[in-house]
Amino acid sequence: MPEIPYWRTEYSGAKTWLVFGALSMAVGTLAGLGSAIHLVAPDFFANISWLEFGRIRAVHVDTVLFGFVTATLIGALLYIIPKVLDTELFSEPIANLAALLYAAGVIIGDIALLAGYTQAREYAEYIYPSDVLIEAALILLSYVAVMTILRRREPLLYVSSWYFLGGVMWGAMVYFAGNAMWHPWIGAEDGLKDAILLWFYGHNIFGLVVTPLATGIIYYMMPRIAGAPLYSQLLGIIGFWTLLSFYAHIGSHHLLQAPIPTWLKAVGIADSFVMVLPVATVLVNFWYTSRGRFSKFLLTPSAKLVLFGTIWYAITCIQGPLQSLAWVQRVTHFNNWVIGHSHIAVLGFTGFVALAGLWYVFPEVTGRRIYSLKMVNAQFWLVLLGLSGFFLFLTIAGLIQGHVWLMGGTVYRSVPMLKPWMTLRLLSGLLIISGAFVGLYNMIMTLKYGEVIEK
Ligand code: HEM
Ligand code: HEM
């Protein structure tokens, strides 16, 4: 019998996305290290233009966000969704093609950033050709998602499928709008209008893309690990619609210090608090589904990862509404406090869930047992310790900056005070990077030497 080409084999789409995700975690965190070194020793990379802070920071942020987190979440869901729908993925070749376009978008975007080509808007730095590739990939994925749902044999549309479909379709819309793709040369609108558009995009890339994708994985893993049915599918659906209704326009809470209309700021702040609703639906479901079975979440590394992902989600979403108040932002805005929030949100919540999904589905996707569960456990501890350090040190650094500024001190005066905290952050970062490389090594070894699972 002729051999089936790779891109047609079962779960190959999921595998390609997952491998790209793990590679991106390694590359993206290294770029984070480069950025962190700048903040401890600004002259370290003197005269190496492609390692300038402005370039390497953008490479870090975009590679971990689009490469690691988003790609890994998508990879895990490409396995999960057909399972819960009791069908096959509509098209493995299209899922592979989407992965290829997406990876090309990220890689070209990163190389261009290092060479100094940027559209210079946060989370939208990639140049236009990259935008086109990433947009095409998201549209193809939306098509695969819709067609897979249409071909399902299971009549109940389990809540994970809602979140997956939402995540990829909103992803395609938000990416197009946020990158102002109708203006290829600048990728922006003008003036204040652009600030509003950018922060609509900035928060929706988190709220309407990675958050629903991660939530879809939590809903898949939670009942399976607990060994109990989901407490409430209805609550999950309510969470989905409230996420869409209230998250979509809270971006203005990033602009409380900017001259945008006051009513827009009020909407942003009010909806930041209403976000308690969708967040609570996940937490309540988690709590009641795992009641009396909680210890099961401490037994395997992927169970621990999903548990801690949910805990970081809770912490992020308690901190989030508070820091959307103008009087809190007087201390926390424009400083390291926000960087602490970013890391517990993007790595703590969505990154932990992405890693949980990766290790949970990888044996099924590859047909091989994980090469070393001890290494997955080591990755969990390295990333957890590193991230806890990040949260603590960056929050302290932010409070120092905020108070110096509030008392009339200049930025210049506050910078030397940050040195110890930036050094501790750098050291914590080394733990996270080690976690990324341990994970990548474990993945390569699983693909090469993992014990084949008999069907
Ligand atoms: C209840 C939910 C949340 C609320 C109300 C919230 C609120 C906020 C606010 C007010 C800021 C801006 C702070 C400032 O600039 O002074 C912020 C920044 C940020 N948030 Fe959240 N957040 C929430 C959840 C999340 C989640 C789930 C994620 C990621 C998955 C996330 C990722 C980020 C990031 C990356 C930033 C930094 C943006 C930047 O300045 O570059 N947040 N958040
Ligand atoms: C996969 C893990 C990681 C994720 C998901 C992540 C995510 C992010 C995000 C979203 C931002 C933008 C923050 C903002 O503008 O508010 C950021 C900035 C940054 N990250 Fe990471 N990060 C990760 C790992 C690391 C590591 C390991 C290091 C250091 C060794 C690091 C160092 C930095 C630095 C220095 C910045 C810029 C901070 C600034 O401008 O003051 N990150 N990261």
Side-chain angles (χ1 to χ4, degrees), residues 221 225 296-309 352-353 355-360 370 372-381 442:
M221 291 182 64
I225 293 169
K296 294 195 175 180
F297 284 87
L298 301 173
L299 293 181
T300 62
S302 48
K304 281 194 281 194
L305 280 161
V306 79
L307 170 67
F308 275 81
F352 266 59
V353 175
L355 290 175
L358 158 68
W359 295 118
Y360 197 72
I370 303 287
S372 164
L373 281 178
K374 281 199 180 122
M375 279 193 210
V376 184
N377 208 28
Q379 183 183 42
F380 164 76
W381 281 109
N442 201 8

Side-chain angles (χ1 to χ4, degrees), residues 32-33 35-36 57 60-61 64 68 122-123 342-343 390 425 429:
L33 176 67
S35 321
R57 182 197 196 276
H60 163 56
V61 175
V64 288
F68 161 49
E122 200 171 11
Y123 311 112
S342 307
H343 283 90
F390 259 55
R425 184 269 284 284

Side-chain angles (χ1 to χ4, degrees), residues 43-382:
D43 291 333
F44 195 81
F45 298 116
N47 301 327
I48 310 179
S49 60
W50 52 280
L51 288 182
E52 271 167 15
F53 183 73
R55 300 187 189 184
I56 199 161
R57 182 197 196 276
V59 170
H60 163 56
V61 175
D62 291 343
T63 312
V64 288
L65 173 60
F66 296 111
F68 161 49
V69 176
T70 312
T72 310
L73 292 171
I74 289 174
L77 283 160
L78 284 175
Y79 166 81
I80 290 173
I81 296 309
K83 278 275 158 219
V84 296
L85 296 172
D86 188 20
T87 183
E88 290 81 43
L89 191 71
F90 169 67
S91 166
E92 294 291 348
I94 299 183
N96 274 299
L97 175 65
L100 209 68
L101 296 176
Y102 191 89
V106 171
I107 294 166
I108 292 171
D110 281 350
I111 293 173
L113 283 174
L114 290 176
Y117 295 97
T118 174
Q119 292 198 329
R121 290 155 87 245
E122 200 171 11
Y123 311 112
E125 289 95 343
Y126 284 158
I127 51 169
Y128 194 67
S130 285
D131 289 347
V132 172
L133 291 165
I134 292 173
E135 183 63 29
L138 292 172
I139 292 172
L140 286 176
L141 270 182
S142 306
Y143 175 61
V144 170
V146 172
M147 295 308 286
T148 307
I149 288 177
L150 287 178
R151 295 203 327 182
R152 72 187 194 274
R153 286 189 281 270
E154 166 59 56
L156 175 78
L157 203 51
Y158 184 68
V159 62
S160 294
S161 334
W162 288 76
Y163 281 106
F164 176 59
L165 183 64
V168 287
M169 286 182 74
W170 296 334
M173 293 176 209
V174 165
Y175 198 87
F176 181 83
N179 283 278
M181 286 185 67
W182 52 93
H183 289 315
W185 293 111
I186 50 169
E189 280 294 332
D190 48 16
L192 215 48
K193 210 164 52 177
D194 189 61
I196 296 172
L197 175 67
L198 180 66
W199 282 112
F200 156 83
Y201 166 72
H203 222 122
N204 282 337
I205 217 71
F206 300 113
L208 293 186
V209 186
V210 287
T211 294
L213 294 177
T215 311
I217 292 182
I218 295 178
Y219 271 114
Y220 178 76
M221 291 182 64
M222 166 193 353
R224 277 171 182 75
I225 293 169
L230 178 67
Y231 171 67
S232 168
Q233 157 95 358
L234 177 65
L235 213 50
I237 307 286
I238 293 174
F240 176 87
W241 288 111
T242 46
L243 189 75
L244 178 61
S245 314
F246 302 116
Y247 219 137
H249 30 71
I250 65 175
S252 53
H253 64 204
H254 294 263
L255 295 168
L256 299 186
Q257 331 291 331
I260 61 165
T262 308
W263 66 266
L264 206 53
K265 295 183 187 179
V267 169
I269 297 173
D271 281 349
S272 298
F273 278 83
V274 185
M275 276 301 295
V276 167
L277 283 178
V279 177
T281 58
V282 179
L283 299 180
V284 169
N285 248 334
F286 201 107
W287 181 255
Y288 279 101
T289 305
S290 60
R291 210 165 37 157
R293 299 155 190 269
F294 200 70
S295 55
K296 294 195 175 180
F297 284 87
L298 301 173
L299 293 181
T300 62
S302 48
K304 281 194 281 194
L305 280 161
V306 79
L307 170 67
F308 275 81
T310 315
I311 293 174
W312 284 118
Y313 188 35
I315 300 175
T316 301
C317 297
I318 293 170
Q319 188 189 39
L322 293 177
Q323 69 187 21
S324 67
L325 294 168
W327 57 272
V328 175
Q329 282 202 10
R330 286 184 68 201
V331 178
T332 60
H333 191 59
F334 276 145
N335 62 43
N336 279 292
W337 170 285
V338 180
I339 310 293
H341 173 77
S342 307
H343 283 90
I344 62 164
V346 185
L347 173 57
F349 165 40
T350 55
F352 266 59
V353 175
L355 290 175
L358 158 68
W359 295 118
Y360 197 72
V361 307
F362 209 57
E364 311 295 333
V365 167
T366 54
R368 290 172 181 272
R369 285 189 215 294
I370 303 287
Y371 174 72
S372 164
L373 281 178
K374 281 199 180 122
M375 279 193 210
V376 184
N377 208 28
Q379 183 183 42
F380 164 76
W381 281 109
L382 286 166

